[in-house]
Amino acid sequence: MHPPKRDDVEHKTKWMLFLLVPTGVLIYGSHSVLLNLSKVGGIVPFNSTSCVVMIETFKVLSNLKTVSTALFYWLIIRRRMTSQQWFAVFLLLLAGVANSYGGLHSQEDTSNMQIQVDSRGLALMSIYCCISGLAGVYTEYILKKHQEVSLSLQNVLLYTYGVAFNLVGFLWTSGFQPSSFFQGFSVWTVIIIVTQAFNGLIMSAIFKHGSNIIRLFIIASAMGVTTILSMLLFSLQLNLYFYCAFGLVIISLVLYHKR
């Protein structure tokens, strides 16, 4: 058996280092921003009404990730988009905002619902959306750049880094007490973990064989499935915002793929 060539070793080493970038940026960048969004007087309160950004505001403004993803897709992947396709992405953003706002209005108690944010919160939300978009597009870039590497191996390496980063973060925040690792776990927690794992595998396949733009449309189209399940399980009452969101998603899909 011949030893690996030096060029192959250097190539694989560089590629593995490339994988560290989206993992570290997404985990530490976005998580630190989210913690800062919740801090009041240097601590993270349990009362969400005292946060820098209200939870309702966060739900609405987080849809800005649609625009940031499209922008980084254009800058990094370097695939030109027509003015019609950019308009379709903008409609997709409006659909997400309408869906989020409609979900807030469908709650039984809307007396305390507020959409407000200060300058610091708006800046942090902008950074969070940019970090999320950058990590997604960069992941697509490195997955496609190394087509010769199997997707399974890429997933193993990428998520191994993710586990390592999150484990360090957990030990740091828990005061190095591993015994509290499974504290609060239930059957539903395990189900969420499993579904998120499958979701990650599906998204990586979309990144390698599709694009981040396709991912945006899949997420937007999933609103229909989520809404139907919410109607069946939680007796969700649809309002005008939901209908507008569905209509905007359909129009956006037609415009983006229309030649």
Side-chain angles (χ1 to χ4, degrees):
M1 183 175 182
H2 298 286
K5 296 181 179 180
R6 181 176 179 181
D7 291 341
D8 292 339
V9 173
E10 291 181 354
H11 176 74
K12 291 180 179 180
T13 302
K14 289 180 180 179
W15 179 73
M16 291 176 69
L17 291 176
F18 281 146
L19 288 176
L20 281 171
V21 176
T23 308
V25 167
L26 184 60
I27 292 175
Y28 283 109
S30 60
H31 286 194
S32 61
V33 171
L34 289 175
L35 285 176
N36 277 282
L37 286 172
S38 303
K39 280 185 178 180
V40 176
I43 62 174
V44 180
F46 289 101
N47 183 5
S48 61
T49 59
S50 58
C51 297
V52 175
V53 175
M54 307 292 290
I55 186 63
E56 294 84 3
T57 310
F58 177 82
K59 289 180 180 179
V60 175
L61 293 183
S62 61
N63 290 285
L64 292 173
K65 289 185 290 186
T66 301
V67 175
S68 66
T69 300
L71 286 173
F72 283 116
Y73 181 79
W74 174 64
L75 291 172
I76 298 176
I77 306 297
R78 296 187 179 279
R79 293 196 180 173
R80 296 185 60 183
M81 293 173 58
T82 64
S83 56
Q84 178 175 296
Q85 289 177 322
W86 280 110
F87 182 65
V89 172
F90 176 71
L91 291 182
L92 204 62
L93 167 65
L94 294 182
V97 172
N99 182 66
S100 300
Y101 199 71
L104 298 175
H105 273 274
S106 66
Q107 298 174 359
E108 295 181 0
D109 183 15
T110 60
S111 58
N112 295 324
M113 189 187 72
Q114 302 178 45
I115 302 296
Q116 62 182 32
V117 60
D118 59 16
S119 57
R120 177 186 166 215
L122 183 60
L124 289 172
M125 277 299 307
S126 300
I127 295 173
Y128 165 72
C129 292
C130 287
I131 289 174
S132 177
L134 174 60
V137 174
Y138 188 82
T139 301
E140 177 185 344
Y141 172 77
I142 59 176
L143 289 178
K144 288 181 174 177
K145 184 177 177 65
H146 302 275
Q147 289 285 353
E148 73 282 0
V149 182
S150 69
L151 182 59
S152 298
L153 177 58
Q154 289 176 322
N155 279 329
V156 169
L157 293 174
L158 184 62
Y159 291 112
T160 298
Y161 288 135
V163 171
F165 273 111
N166 279 291
L167 182 60
V168 171
F170 164 75
L171 293 175
W172 181 266
T173 55
S174 65
F176 296 93
Q177 297 180 357
S179 58
S180 62
F181 187 83
F182 293 103
Q183 184 177 358
F185 267 56
S186 65
V187 175
W188 293 110
T189 309
V190 176
I191 292 175
I192 291 174
I193 293 174
V194 172
T195 55
Q196 287 299 308
F198 277 107
N199 179 67
L201 295 175
I202 293 172
M203 287 301 167
S204 62
I206 293 173
F207 285 157
K208 185 156 187 173
H209 304 293
S211 69
N212 266 273
I213 304 299
I214 293 177
R215 178 181 69 93
L216 293 178
F217 280 103
I218 291 175
I219 294 174
S221 302
M223 292 189 303
V225 178
T226 305
T227 301
I228 293 174
L229 290 176
S230 298
M231 291 172 59
L232 296 175
L233 299 176
F234 308 112
S235 301
L236 175 69
Q237 298 296 320
L238 297 185
N239 52 42
L240 181 61
Y241 295 102
F242 283 116
Y243 293 116
C244 289
F246 296 150
L248 288 171
V249 169
I250 294 174
I251 295 173
S252 179
L253 278 168
V254 173
L255 287 177
Y256 188 85
H257 294 94
K258 186 178 180 180
R259 300 295 182 182

